[in-house]
Every structure is written in C-alpha cells, then in structure tokens.
Amino acid sequence: MGCEVSNRLPASPSSVSLLHWYVETPRNGRALSLLVAGLLTYLVVISAPVWLYQVEEQIGSVGWTLFSENAREERITLVVIDEKSLAEVGPWPWPRDVMAQLVSEIDRSGALLQIHDVVYPEPREGDIALEQALGSAAGAVVAQVPALTSGPTEARIGTMTHGINGLTCSGVGLDLAVAGGYVAAAEVFKGVPKGHNAALIDPDGGVRKSPALVCVDGVVYPSLALAAFMQLGPSSSWSASVSQGDSFFEPEALISVEGYPGLKIPVDKTGAMRIDFHQSPESFRAVSASDVLAGRFGEELLEGAWVIVGGTAFGMSDIVPTPYSGAAFGVELQARILSSVLDLSVPFTPAGAELFFATMIIAFSALAWTASLASGRAVEYRLSLLVLLLPAVSLGTHIYFLQSFDMWLGWTVPALFGFFAPALMLVFELAKARLERGVVYQNLASYLSPAVAKEVAFSLPSSHIDAERRDVTLLSADIRNFAAFGESRPPEEIAAVLHYFSIRANEIIESFGGRVAEFRGDSALAIWEGAGERSARNALDAAAALQVALCERLLDDHNPEGLEPMALGIGIDQGPVLIGSIGSSDRRSFTVLGDAVSATLRIREMTTELAQPILIGAAVARHLVDRNLQSQGSFLLPGLRVPRVLFAPAQSAEVVPIDKRSTNAA
C-alpha cells in the first residue's frame, strides 16, 4: 500500500503573518503602542475630567509649596477679626460704630487704602457713622458678594453698585460668570466704592480662581483687587478694557485698568484670575483688629500699606483649604490676589498650552521610540525608566514654567501619555521577546525533545558539562540500504522519505511513552526513562509498531529496483547513560553518552548480519520472559570488549496494534 509523503509542512497563513508583523516589522508594534497610548490618554481625559483636574491642581501646586517665598510682604497688612478680637470686643457682627472706629484708626495710621472683605448688607444703627468714616478715609473699598449659581435666584440683598464703564457682559469677548442673585451693602453705603469677593469653589472645596469680572443684571462688576486699583486711579470713573493675547505664550485675555498703562491682568476665557500661592502664609503681616481699636500696635505696620480687613475667627465661616493648609481664611486669598497684581505676576495658562502639550507628546513619543530600539535587556531597562521619568518630566516642566514665568501649563495630559507610551511599548517588547523565545523553543523542540529544548531555550549557555546520569531504555532504529536508495532517487524523494520517517517515528515512540533523543540521517535514537519492565515492554511495542508503520507501509513502496530492498533495523538495550550538553558556550551540543548507547547502536547494526528486524539485549530480555523471545547467541559486538547475548522476538509473536499503545504506555 502506498503512502503519501510531502517535502514541506503546511503553514498557517494567520500565524505566519502574525509572526512577521511582530518579529520582522517591530515598528508596526511600536506605532500601535503610541496610538493606543494616545487613545488611552484621551479616554481618561474625557471620562474623568473632575478627578483629573483635582489631581492636576493639587500636585501641580507642589512647586509653590516646595519653593515658597518667605520674604515679608511689606506692602500689604491684614487687620484680622480673630478670636482675640471677638473675646475683647464681642461676638460678630460688631456694632457699626465700632467698625467706624476701626476704619478711622486705620486711616489715622496712614494706610494707603483699606479693603474690607466684609459685607454690610442690612441697615443697622450706626450706619451713618460707618458710611462717613469710609467716605472720609484716604481710600476704602467694601465687599459685595454675587451668587455664582447656574440660574437666577431670588436672593437679592442690599444694592450692587460701582460697575465698570466701557464693558458689557456680551461685548467683552469672554464667557463671564453670571450671578443670579447677590448679597451687597445696604442702600446707605451706595456711595462707598465696592468690589466683589466671589470665589470659584472646586469640587474638593479649594479656591484656586477668583473672577476678575462678574455680570449681574447685564452690568460688569470688578473684584476687590480691581476695585482697589480703580479707587486709587486718577479718574473717578471706573473704566477698563479687555484684550486678547497676541501669542501662544500670552494669556487667553488681558484686563487693562484706566490710569495704569503697564497694568495688564491675565485672565482665562471666563474672566477668572488664578490665585498665586508662591508666598508662604507667614510672609503676610497681620494685626488683630482689637489691637488696632485699642492702639496696641506699631503704626508703621499700617502706614502707606494696602490694608485688608477680614475675619480669621473660625466662627465667621470664611475658611477654605489651600496648598499650605486645610483651613486658611478668605482674607489671605484676597492678600494673595492683591500681591500678585502688584507684582504683575498673576499666574495664567497660556493660549498655546495645548500646542505645548502636543510638542511634549511628540517629544515623549520620540524618546520612547528611541529607547525601544535598544537591544537585549537594555530596551526593558530604558522603557521602565521612561515609565517613571516622563511623568516626572511633565510635572517638572510645569513647575519650572510656573516658578520662572508664572505660567500654569498643566501637566496631567502629557504625564498620562508619558506613562502609557513607554509602558505599552514595554508590554510590546516583552510580548515580542516572549513570542521570539516561543518561536526559538518551538524550533528547538522540532530538533530536540521538549524537555531538552526548554532547557536549551531558557538557560544561559556555559562552557561546563551540563549533564546528569540516568537509567534508561534505549531504542536505535535505522533504515537499511538507504544509501543505495539515495543513489537512484532524486533529492526531493530522499527528503520526502526521511521526512515521513522522522514524523511517524516520533509519533509512534511518543505514543508508547518514549522520546526521540536525536535523528541522524536515516536513523533515530529514542529513550524511555527507567531500566525496568515497563520501559522494556514499551520499547519493544514501539519497535513492533515502527516495523508495521514504516517497513511495511513506506519502505516497500520505495525500494530501489535491482537492489537489495530497504528495511528497518531496530536495536533495544538498557543501562546507565549521561544525558546533557557539552562543548564551549558558543557551540553547545546535546548528547546521550554511555556504554548502553554504544551497545544499542551495535545491536542495531547486528540486525543486518542476523537478518532480524528487531534485536534485544539481555538486560531488556530478562524483563520480557512472556514475549516469546529467541536467543540468537553470544556476540562480541564491534568496538566492545564484553560479549553480549542477543534476543529476537519470534516471527510469529503478536505485534501490539498502535491503537492499543495507550495501555502499554501507561
């Protein structure tokens, strides 16, 4: 019966293309890693904007706290209504005549301007005295509080006054915050200059921005800081203008106050100013309001100073968290805003921040790509380092620009990409290395046994003998007269026969619990662990199955005409061997050594002289007393010194079918 053979193994197109895509064209994997990194960054940005904003704000302000300025702020003095003041004067709110006395004492001390971060909403006894004290002071501004809600509200207490001339809510080019209600000073104080102290409260309770301009009933009102400058300006008419930034490195918008040519206050597209926290809280001078009322203070603290009056007592409910403290006071925020305006150092986000982010992302991509071009373990070390380094670079760049140029760039977007890009590239490189190692292992396993292939593939080479002694059962199979067959056949047919021989021999030997140690030309050497009865029986059954599958179904169909036919000779023996690798580290060789190997090979050679397809050594035969073995005599095998008794299965002996091999291999 003929047997179909093929000179090549079929390959899976999908597996071949996948291997080619990963191993042969790694730039595709790197490009895909960068693309996925960008997609993940975008998904995080759109899916968790609030969380991302809080992380950016809280960690981004570390630059201020790490490099805080402790120099004393000499231009601003805080007059605080603290616990000491409440204990001496009485609970808040104080009588208006007491506040009038406080205003007069501050003015008498030579203050340049006093800013009251206090609202006087309801008419009360003593309002006239307070209004007169405020009006006669060198300069005074009081607070009014617009309610920055998402819709109109009915809460309208007091009278909003002192809007800005020249600006309209719809004509400034900004999306200004709109207040539906307000709490303002009583009607009696309508002539006193006012500014709002509205704040933008973030989800975590922090106040990081304050609207420079707010719309109420179509009128634009300034903040306390802007109102202070307008009050000290040369004109009694409050006027300001809004302009757009001229370059990528300028703010989105700038507010200019009439009478101050060099004063341009940066704001965002909503008209909000970012609060500057580069000064430590200790840098601001403060004096207790009770000490001012009692004259227990140095007048040099107030002389020529911008004085901010506000509450710091916990009962006055004016507490907000800041980068320095979880419980700071609103009067401190007003001092920070005023100080940054005086220094022309109001932090701002440049109009080209997104372009800057894109530039950083391109730079991070180039760094990750360059790191992935390294060879060996260096690529893993470099990419692992970039996973930590690039987010730190993003944060460090943000801190540098904030400290050096008062630019709040933000850092989370490039930091996310800087984390994802090298991380995904690292995953790709590890996957590629694993795949390449798997390919190497599969290729080795096609030449060596799986156990040996695994050891060779996943162990570092050395120049030492790496072998171990084992008791095994050996089977050597060889195609007789194959050289004569090769002389009369084309190479393609020779290769096809050897190909089929190696495939079927490996299948049959493994099905009986053995493994092929090596194929050498037209011969094979197989091993069964142990030198006992089970391995002996399995080896003999495998030999019988090989004779049926190969000698009768393959070799008969390819016998050369006019020459002695091909046949399969098999020798079986047992004994100790040394199995492992030998040779230098750059040229290792897997081998099976020992007297049992030599004896098995010589026994197989004797099959030709004795005209027996299978010969068995005495060490194996003693385990097979029930297999009807026939002694062939004692022989001195070539190259050996001790004679060996050889046995052969009787010609009528039953051959165990292949479909029953599982029982024998058990």
Side-chain angles (χ1 to χ4, degrees):
M1 180 176 63
C3 181
E4 295 183 4
V5 294
S6 172
N7 59 2
R8 62 184 180 89
L9 284 173
S12 169
S14 60
S15 63
V16 172
S17 61
L18 182 62
L19 290 174
H20 176 78
W21 193 89
Y22 273 103
V23 180
E24 299 297 332
T25 57
R27 63 180 179 274
N28 293 339
R30 299 186 186 108
L32 180 61
S33 298
L34 294 177
L35 181 63
V36 174
L39 179 61
L40 288 176
T41 301
Y42 173 75
L43 291 176
V44 173
V45 170
I46 65 172
S47 61
V50 176
W51 173 82
L52 204 63
Y53 171 80
Q54 293 181 9
V55 171
E56 179 166 275
E57 293 288 341
Q58 292 173 1
I59 301 180
S61 60
V62 168
W64 278 324
T65 57
L66 288 179
F67 308 101
S68 61
E69 183 178 320
N70 296 315
R72 180 72 67 179
E73 172 58 78
E74 301 289 348
R75 299 163 301 179
I76 301 172
T77 300
L78 307 181
V79 174
V80 295
I81 304 169
D82 52 7
E83 281 81 0
K84 175 184 176 181
S85 299
L86 297 183
E88 293 186 7
V89 179
W92 185 260
W94 288 346
R96 295 291 164 81
D97 55 351
V98 174
M99 293 303 300
Q101 181 186 354
L102 180 62
V103 172
S104 299
E105 288 295 331
I106 294 173
D107 185 62
R108 185 186 61 80
S109 299
L112 178 66
L113 176 74
Q114 49 183 300
I115 304 169
H116 287 239
D117 189 19
V118 179
V119 183
Y120 305 101
E122 71 284 347
R124 295 181 61 185
E125 183 179 354
D127 282 346
I128 300 298
L130 177 57
E131 190 274 336
Q132 290 176 350
L134 291 169
S136 61
V141 178
V142 300
Q144 50 192 1
V145 186
L148 302 182
T149 58
S150 58
T153 179
E154 297 299 326
R156 292 170 177 259
I157 302 172
T159 303
M160 292 284 294
T161 63
H162 290 78
I164 299 179
N165 297 321
L167 294 182
T168 61
C169 293
S170 59
V172 296
L174 301 175
D175 186 17
L176 297 180
V178 178
Y182 52 82
V183 177
E187 179 72 17
V188 68
F189 301 105
K190 66 180 180 180
V192 179
K194 303 181 185 67
H196 75 77
N197 64 353
L200 300 175
I201 302 176
D202 289 336
D204 61 354
V207 176
R208 301 177 176 94
K209 292 182 179 181
S210 176
L213 304 173
V214 170
C215 281
V216 179
D217 297 334
V219 179
V220 179
Y221 293 93
S223 65
L224 277 172
L226 265 67
F229 279 92
M230 291 177 176
Q231 174 63 12
L232 292 180
S235 173
S236 59
S237 175
W238 287 15
S239 299
S241 61
V242 177
S243 60
Q244 304 298 319
D246 296 330
S247 69
F248 290 116
F249 297 101
E250 289 194 356
E252 294 176 306
L254 294 162
I255 298 176
S256 300
V257 179
E258 182 180 350
Y260 299 90
L263 181 62
K264 292 186 176 182
I265 302 172
V267 295
D268 62 17
K269 61 184 178 181
T270 66
M273 300 167 52
R274 180 174 286 276
I275 301 175
D276 185 1
F277 289 96
H278 83 276
Q279 293 174 286
S280 68
E282 292 76 19
S283 64
F284 295 102
R285 302 181 301 181
V287 57
S288 174
S290 61
D291 289 339
V292 175
L293 289 170
R296 300 189 302 260
F297 69 99
E299 293 189 359
E300 69 279 0
L301 293 175
L302 303 183
E303 184 176 3
W306 300 61
V307 176
I308 303 177
V309 180
T312 61
F314 282 95
M316 299 182 69
S317 302
D318 192 20
I319 300 174
V320 294
T322 70
Y324 295 95
S325 171
F329 302 97
V331 66
E332 178 187 320
L333 299 185
Q334 294 299 329
R336 292 185 179 279
I337 295 172
L338 182 59
S339 177
S340 64
V341 174
L342 288 171
D343 290 333
L344 301 179
S345 62
V346 177
F348 66 93
T349 299
E354 294 182 356
L355 179 62
F356 190 84
F357 289 166
T359 303
M360 291 189 68
I361 287 173
I362 292 173
F364 288 174
S365 300
L367 287 173
W369 189 286
T370 303
S372 68
L373 298 178
S375 58
R377 300 300 294 266
V379 63
E380 299 176 14
Y381 296 142
R382 292 182 181 182
L383 289 174
S384 299
L385 179 63
L386 288 182
V387 169
L388 303 175
L389 182 62
L390 294 186
V393 168
S394 180
L395 177 59
T397 302
H398 164 82
I399 293 175
Y400 171 75
F401 275 84
L402 183 61
Q403 294 297 112
S404 302
F405 307 105
D406 299 313
M407 290 185 185
W408 181 280
L409 288 176
W411 62 277
T412 52
V413 172
L416 283 172
F417 182 85
F419 171 80
F420 286 135
L424 290 175
M425 278 195 171
L426 180 61
V427 170
F428 163 74
E429 292 296 335
L430 293 176
K432 183 167 74 71
R434 184 179 181 86
L435 181 62
E436 290 174 340
R437 187 168 60 179
V439 171
V440 171
Y441 170 72
Q442 290 178 357
N443 287 333
L444 287 173
S446 66
Y447 291 90
L448 305 171
S449 67
V452 175
K454 183 177 181 180
E455 181 179 351
V456 173
F458 304 133
S459 300
L460 293 176
S462 68
S463 297
H464 303 288
I465 296 176
D466 185 12
E468 61 178 330
R469 185 184 182 94
R470 299 180 189 173
D471 289 327
V472 298
T473 300
L474 299 164
L475 179 152
S476 177
D478 178 75
I479 302 178
R480 302 175 191 165
N481 301 320
F482 189 78
F485 168 77
E487 289 181 338
S488 60
R489 292 292 189 271
E492 290 79 7
E493 186 174 351
I494 297 172
V497 171
L498 289 178
H499 179 69
Y500 183 78
F501 166 68
S502 62
I503 290 177
R504 291 296 290 133
N506 188 70
E507 290 177 350
I508 292 170
I509 290 170
E510 287 188 350
S511 68
F512 284 96
R515 57 185 173 89
V516 176
E518 64 177 9
F519 283 103
R520 184 172 298 176
D522 58 349
S523 66
L525 179 65
I527 297 176
W528 279 261
E529 295 292 337
E533 179 181 352
R534 174 177 296 180
S535 59
R537 291 179 179 276
N538 286 334
L540 180 58
D541 291 342
L546 285 169
Q547 290 290 339
V548 174
L550 297 176
C551 189
E552 297 180 6
R553 299 179 183 177
L554 170 66
L555 302 183
D556 287 349
D557 293 342
H558 293 80
N559 281 326
E561 184 178 355
L563 298 174
E564 186 175 352
M566 291 188 296
L568 192 65
I570 299 175
I572 303 174
D573 203 2
Q574 289 181 342
V577 297
L578 198 65
I579 301 177
S581 299
I582 61 174
S584 63
S585 60
D586 57 351
R587 189 66 177 178
R588 302 287 284 175
S589 176
F590 176 78
T591 187
V592 181
L593 301 173
D595 179 67
V597 178
S598 301
T600 303
L601 296 178
R602 300 299 181 265
I603 292 172
R604 185 255 300 162
E605 293 173 356
M606 291 294 295
T607 59
T608 302
E609 297 184 18
L610 299 180
Q612 291 287 351
I614 301 174
L615 286 177
I616 303 170
V620 176
R622 69 171 179 263
H623 297 298
L624 303 174
V625 294
D626 60 337
R627 287 299 184 96
N628 193 19
L629 302 180
Q630 298 179 351
S631 174
Q632 304 297 303
S634 178
F635 300 90
L636 182 62
L637 302 179
L640 302 180
R641 294 182 298 175
V642 179
R644 306 291 176 111
V645 178
L646 303 183
F647 296 83
Q651 296 297 324
S652 60
E654 179 184 3
V655 175
V656 178
I658 298 177
D659 58 2
K660 294 183 180 180
R661 60 184 177 269
S662 59
T663 302
N664 294 323

